[in-house]
Amino acid sequence: MKNSMKKLQILLLLPLIAVQVKCGSSKNAAANSGKAQSWITTTDESSKLLKQNDLVFNSETNSNQTIIVDASQKFQTIEGFGFSLTGGSAQAILKLDKAKREALLQELFSRKEDAIGLSYLRISIGASDLNETVFSYDDMPEGQTDLKLEKFNLGPDLKDVVPVLKEILAINPDIKIMGSPWSPPVWMKDNGSSKGGSLQPQYYQVYAEYFVKYIQAMKAEGIVIDAITPQNEPLHPGNNPSLLMLAEQQADFIGNHLGPAFAKAKIKTKIVIYDHNCNKPEYPLTILKDAKANPFIAGSAFHLYEGDISAMSTVHDAYPNKDLYFTEQYTGSGTNFETDLKWSVKNVVIGSMRNWSKITLSWGLANDEFYKPFTPGGCSTCKGALMIDKNQNIKREVGYYIIGHASKFVPEGSVRIGSNISGNLYNVAFKTPSGQIVLLVENDGTATETFNIKYNQKQVSTTLNAGAVATYVW
């Protein structure tokens, strides 16, 4: 009887085993189907991050130019792609009714099929020039100081940036956030103005404590600040707000004040230096050379309003144990979709990634139809990735597609891998944590290009219009 029951149990289990084998086989077959998916954005805007027909890998040979993707070559690990959530961006998003806002934030920050999966945000510590008004977290009447920071509070951010961040974190709890100040409180400065001037040395220590209080206050709101820079664009004191902070001053501030203050308060937030253009790699190199400052520094941040993106590799080659971050590039109201798409994908996204950056961020996430808000003397031509008008219409601007072509397909933890530049076909390749290969290509030429993508001895042949951008996934 026991043997009969045993045989019956085996017979009953056989169909389940067969089903499991079949499911496993089909999953493996799908993973190794030899097909590449692709999404394309064209300069005439007829295709915007639009999925194309699958491409099939084969063993055929031809005389086309070829991009060879090599997963055995490994470079930096990616932390994310995204934008700056300025105070103005948060205000624009909060104008949407709840259902529309939730749908937009899901589209921006989730990893659903119809989303672009933004994974990194930069926010201002106090006001940036894309706020309605200038403020710090410890403003005092003229002539007064607050050395113990007893008046410190997050102020206007509690009405816009903090609530929007909480909604974003509910969608993506793992999103990384970097904070950057445009100016310290005016009473700490030598010119008594939010615009320009320098931080007075007698306030270095209290300003270091200001950063500590900021990180702690945000944590109390459930928001973890992964990294900070001591100053946005320290060599551009003409903005409002802004501050002039020379390399030697930043080295002194970090080595003798900010770094020790973080250590004392047991703060793990990374300190990332410079946060300005690629024309002055000597600025971060000067700070990294400082024996006191160096141990507290996680890496250097760059923008590309001046200089060449290769400056990031210059710094990497000198200090390969320090990370690189690309933290800002705007698209402006005076340029067009075609120009911005080509230039930014080639130089900012592909360029920064091929020069060791762990992130690529564009500037403001959102604004209204008049490029507002901005401070008096702030940027009146900065175009957000989204334009949200008074009727709650949302227009996805060129910045959305510039970043979306990477963020949608390259999650945090992906690794840049080898790929060659072939003719006008600028590109960068990644391997994701799930094992997918992602290749981002921009055709920088003036004619349609026919080319191969080769991987593991097999290849696909495809074409890409002049100026177009494509992401290939297999």
Side-chain angles (χ1 to χ4, degrees), residues 129-140:
D129 60 312
L130 295 189
N131 276 83
E132 275 186 320
T133 57
V134 174
F135 64 89
S136 78
Y137 300 134
D138 200 329
D139 290 324
M140 298 295 292

Side-chain angles (χ1 to χ4, degrees), residues 332-392:
S333 59
T335 54
N336 59 37
F337 189 97
E338 175 180 0
T339 304
D340 284 334
L341 179 74
K342 286 180 63 173
W343 190 89
S344 286
V345 173
K346 174 188 172 182
N347 295 285
V348 174
V349 184
I350 294 171
S352 70
M353 287 288 126
R354 289 188 76 97
N355 285 278
W356 296 97
S357 189
K358 294 176 78 72
I359 65 171
T360 302
L361 308 181
S362 281
W363 184 207
L365 179 58
N367 50 244
D368 71 12
E369 62 267 50
F370 306 108
Y371 305 106
K372 291 181 176 179
F374 49 84
T375 61
C379 182
S380 60
T381 60
C382 290
K383 184 193 292 183
L386 306 168
M387 186 273 283
I388 302 173
D389 69 18
K390 61 184 178 184
N391 298 317
Q392 299 195 29

Side-chain angles (χ1 to χ4, degrees), residues 25 59 143 165 170 186 224 242 265 295 324 327 359 379 427 470 472:
S25 300
S59 302
L165 277 177
V186 164
V224 175
S242 60
L324 279 299
T327 48
I359 65 171
C379 182
N427 65 82
Y472 304 92

Side-chain angles (χ1 to χ4, degrees), residues 161-239:
V161 172
V162 168
V164 174
L165 277 177
K166 287 180 178 180
E167 293 186 18
I168 292 167
L169 284 162
I171 295 166
N172 178 5
D174 298 321
I175 196 162
K176 282 190 159 59
I177 299 166
M178 174 184 282
S180 303
W182 266 238
S183 173
V186 164
W187 53 268
M188 297 184 188
K189 301 173 74 173
D190 61 8
N191 68 344
S193 168
S194 60
K195 181 178 177 179
S198 295
L199 179 66
Q200 298 185 70
Q202 68 261 36
Y203 296 121
Y204 278 15
Q205 189 58 41
V206 70
Y207 194 39
E209 297 298 334
Y210 179 93
F211 278 88
V212 170
K213 277 190 170 285
Y214 168 70
I215 290 161
Q216 292 171 337
M218 291 296 271
K219 189 177 181 183
E221 295 291 336
I223 299 163
V224 175
I225 303 300
D226 185 72
I228 58 92
T229 64
Q231 175 59 36
N232 168 70
E233 299 192 341
L235 298 178
H236 177 35
N239 206 346

Side-chain angles (χ1 to χ4, degrees), residues 39-42 341 345 405 440-443 464 467-471:
W39 288 257
I40 288 179
T41 299
T42 54
L341 179 74
V345 173
H405 260 282
L440 174 62
V441 182
E442 182 262 338
N443 177 1
L464 191 60
V469 172
T471 304

Side-chain angles (χ1 to χ4, degrees), residues 1-20:
M1 183 69 181
K2 281 185 181 176
N3 287 340
S4 300
M5 285 296 293
K6 204 168 189 181
K7 283 179 182 175
L8 183 61
Q9 286 174 334
I10 290 168
L11 287 169
L12 288 169
L13 281 169
L14 278 172
L16 291 173
I17 294 166
V19 169
Q20 288 173 346

